Amino acid sequence: MPLVGCSLGPDQSSLDIPGFSPSATSISDQTNAQAALEYLAPDGEISDGKWMPGEQTRQRWEELTDRGWGSTAMEELTAAMAAASTMRGSQDEETLAAATWVTARSIEFAVDQVPPKNYTDAMKQNLAALLGNSPGEVVALAGGESLESSDLYGLSGLVTDAQFETALYRVIDDEHAADTLVTAMLSYHHNQIDEKIPTAADPETTLLGLYQSAAQTMGYLDGIAEIRTGNNRQDTIDLVDIRTVLRAQGYVDAAQYGLLSEETLDAAATGNNGGPFSFYDEVDGQPTITAPDPMTPDAAHEYITWQRQVNDPTMDRIDNEMVNTKAGYDQGQAAEVVK
């Protein structure tokens, strides 16, 4: 049965997870995440490549499912879920497997056990962080793949498409949660560029393909957000700003990997009323295009001004990839959402 919200009692105001703080600082993030993981998966082992929960873990989740909940305790639980999900990046096989299992179980719990009316803003933000720690799954769904028909993704076989997309739907109406998802996915896509371009046989084709995927992901989130709000004017995803950011970051990446013409780089040095744009520098005598981290919509407009002064084919191709936000949007609109 779904958990029903109730007034806070002495045993419902906090979970008191040993060693865990819902408001941990960055200094203690790793320790905090380990404490959350040990609470949510106290025992288990890998079998045939999958995490199999032990008896203590099964009992823990039975207790969580059967418990009466107040909002404070639920916010602490979802904070612990989000913290544990960060361990999906662990290099330790057992830790990664346990964190993946906990992430899947947390999505299932949030969707099947918590009525939508009981989601607080803090819960939504916690669960957005958890979903942002599954970027490969978000990209797969944005591209029309299913988590149920492929073993390429860690959550395959552990959650359904409907559960994952319903979790996205339930949190994305909160502006901070939406920002968390957008930031996480932009970071993921940019990390993919830094990882793949240096060894790519055809750097420009690889770069364009990765920006196509990024645009599709952003369109997907926008499509789900519009379903949630029912009105694109109240949408928590500003797709116009996101496309601007993607374009500007694309120009920076193209410059970094030597894909822009000399004329384009010369324009960066002289196109700002005869002087350099703020993002232009020279390192050891070589033209260098810099970027803020993260790229912001306000900062991005200066790069767009630069692009409009030149006729660079790579820049034009990056711009053309932004049309893929429409394909992602359509995929988001077709999401398997349980309202």
Side-chain angles (χ1 to χ4, degrees):
M1 293 291 292
L3 296 173
V4 178
C6 57
S7 59
L8 297 179
D11 63 336
Q12 295 173 325
S13 61
S14 174
L15 286 176
D16 293 326
I17 298 172
F20 175 74
S21 169
S23 56
T25 65
S26 59
I27 296 174
S28 60
D29 277 350
Q30 189 71 19
T31 301
N32 212 47
Q34 188 63 45
L37 185 61
E38 289 175 0
Y39 176 80
L40 294 169
D43 66 344
E45 62 182 2
I46 295 178
S47 177
D48 294 328
K50 296 286 186 179
W51 179 259
M52 301 300 293
E55 184 59 28
Q56 292 181 61
T57 300
R58 285 192 290 269
Q59 288 181 0
R60 172 60 44 77
W61 283 89
E62 287 174 7
E63 291 165 2
L64 293 174
T65 301
D66 293 340
R67 175 185 169 131
W69 289 93
S71 59
T72 301
M74 183 60 77
E75 288 171 3
E76 183 177 351
L77 176 60
T78 53
M81 291 171 168
S85 73
T86 66
M87 303 298 279
R88 290 197 68 189
S90 174
Q91 298 301 308
D92 179 78
E93 184 182 8
E94 287 203 359
T95 299
L96 185 155
T100 298
W101 183 89
V102 166
T103 299
R105 189 69 182 84
S106 298
I107 292 170
E108 180 184 11
F109 181 94
V111 169
D112 296 343
Q113 300 295 327
V114 186
K117 64 185 177 69
N118 288 3
Y119 279 57
T120 66
D121 290 346
M123 281 181 58
K124 291 177 182 179
Q125 291 158 28
N126 291 336
L127 291 170
L130 178 143
L131 292 165
N133 287 325
S134 298
E137 286 81 358
V138 176
V139 171
L141 290 166
E145 296 183 56
S146 171
L147 305 183
E148 300 166 48
S149 61
S150 172
D151 61 359
L152 297 178
Y153 309 101
L155 298 185
S156 297
L158 298 176
V159 296
T160 65
D161 295 346
Q163 286 171 328
F164 196 99
E165 293 187 317
T166 297
L168 282 171
Y169 168 84
R170 290 189 183 174
V171 306
I172 207 166
D173 64 322
D174 179 89
E175 283 192 22
H176 295 294
D179 285 346
T180 293
L181 286 165
V182 168
T183 300
M185 295 313 301
L186 287 174
S187 177
Y188 170 80
H189 282 291
H190 198 256
N191 288 341
Q192 288 286 293
I193 288 165
D194 287 342
E195 177 184 323
K196 294 182 178 181
I197 298 295
T199 58
D202 184 345
E204 180 169 335
T205 298
T206 302
L207 181 73
L208 294 173
L210 291 169
Y211 269 94
Q212 181 185 72
S213 177
Q216 186 161 286
T217 298
M218 296 303 129
Y220 172 73
L221 293 177
D222 184 53
I224 292 179
E226 191 174 311
I227 296 174
R228 185 72 174 93
T229 61
N231 185 331
N232 63 4
R233 288 188 295 275
Q234 300 170 357
D235 200 337
T236 51
I237 306 290
D238 190 331
L239 199 55
V240 173
D241 275 354
I242 290 171
R243 277 197 296 257
T244 300
V245 165
L246 283 175
R247 287 174 62 194
Q249 189 62 59
Y251 306 155
V252 175
D253 290 332
Q256 177 182 349
Y257 292 107
L259 302 177
L260 300 183
S261 69
E262 286 187 22
E263 291 77 11
T264 298
L265 295 176
D266 287 343
T270 61
N272 186 20
N273 296 318
F277 284 101
S278 65
F279 53 76
Y280 180 85
D281 197 1
E282 290 188 5
V283 178
D284 296 330
Q286 295 300 313
T288 302
I289 305 300
T290 62
D293 184 16
M295 177 71 74
T296 65
D298 285 343
H301 286 293
E302 189 178 18
Y303 297 85
I304 304 303
T305 300
W306 171 41
Q307 182 269 339
R308 288 172 177 163
Q309 295 182 5
V310 298
N311 184 22
D312 190 281
T314 300
M315 284 180 159
D316 292 343
R317 292 183 191 112
I318 289 169
D319 290 352
N320 289 339
E321 296 305 337
M322 296 305 105
V323 73
N324 218 44
T325 55
K326 179 61 169 63
Y329 173 85
D330 291 343
Q331 200 64 43
Q333 288 277 289
E336 297 180 42
V337 167
V338 179
K339 299 182 180 180

